Amino acid sequence: VRAINTVGAGDVFNGVLLAALTRSTDFPAALRQANAAAASVVSSSRGVLGLRVPRRSPDWRKSMPRRKN
């Protein structure tokens, strides 16, 4: 990957890694996802603003743990 703009690459790496691990993704796969996202950021002239974020499904809230009162 040719680094053009590194702004936000570390934040994206950490965020994607944490998101993958909270979805019970195994650690090597989570690292690959985080690395791919960070590579996408540094290869864009827009840095983190060039990152493509997948849309969430309409039912994403159903997968969230319920808060106990």
Side-chain angles (χ1 to χ4, degrees):
V1 174
R2 181 173 173 232
I4 297 171
N5 186 341
T6 61
V7 174
D11 295 328
V12 167
F13 179 89
N14 291 327
V16 171
L17 180 62
L18 181 61
L21 292 174
T22 59
R23 290 190 311 265
S24 300
T25 303
D26 64 278
F27 194 69
L31 284 174
R32 285 191 297 274
Q33 290 175 16
N35 203 24
S40 174
V41 168
V42 300
S43 63
S44 169
S45 63
R46 297 187 63 199
V48 72
L49 297 177
L51 183 65
R52 295 180 143 271
V53 178
R55 293 181 184 234
R56 290 184 170 173
S57 67
D59 296 339
W60 68 272
R61 289 187 183 147
K62 292 179 182 177
S63 66
M64 299 295 289
R66 294 202 179 254
R67 192 173 9 167
K68 295 180 180 178
N69 294 332

